[in-house]
Amino acid sequence: MQFDQNYDDDDAKALEGEGKGRRFSDFDCPDCNANNPHDGFGDGDEIRCYYCGMEFKVTVSDEGRLKLREA
Ligand SMILES: [Zn+2]
C-alpha cells in the first residue's frame, strides 16, 4: 500500500501528524485479542483480523485514539 503524501486538503493539514490523521502499523483485534501487524491504516479504513477473519471499520478520534467497530 502506498501513502499519498501530497494530497491537497486544507482541512486535513491542521490534523496531520498526531490526531485524526495518525496512521497505525498494528492493532489488537477487539474480538480475539490477536495482535495484527499492518502495513498502515488510519481513519476511514477497513481492516481485517488475520486470525479470526473479522472486519473492522477504523475511526481515529481528534486526539489520535484508535477505535475499531465491527464492519
Ligand atoms: Zn481477531
Side-chain angles (χ1 to χ4, degrees):
M1 182 186 283
Q2 284 210 324
F3 301 154
D4 184 0
Q5 304 282 2
N6 300 311
Y7 67 96
D8 191 16
D9 184 338
D10 286 340
D11 290 337
K13 277 180 188 164
L15 299 171
E16 67 188 358
E18 293 295 312
K20 202 168 182 62
R22 185 173 170 191
R23 307 287 297 180
F24 294 84
S25 59
D26 70 315
F27 68 96
D28 290 322
C29 177
D31 204 52
C32 73
N33 267 337
N35 182 258
N36 285 263
H38 198 281
D39 57 6
F41 65 95
D43 188 60
D45 288 344
E46 288 185 7
I47 55 178
R48 178 194 292 266
C49 175
Y50 294 112
Y51 295 89
C52 69
M54 288 292 296
E55 289 187 10
F56 300 96
K57 179 86 173 171
V58 177
T59 304
V60 181
S61 73
D62 291 339
E63 294 80 30
R65 291 180 62 90
L66 176 64
K67 293 178 189 168
L68 302 177
R69 269 187 330 207
E70 287 185 22

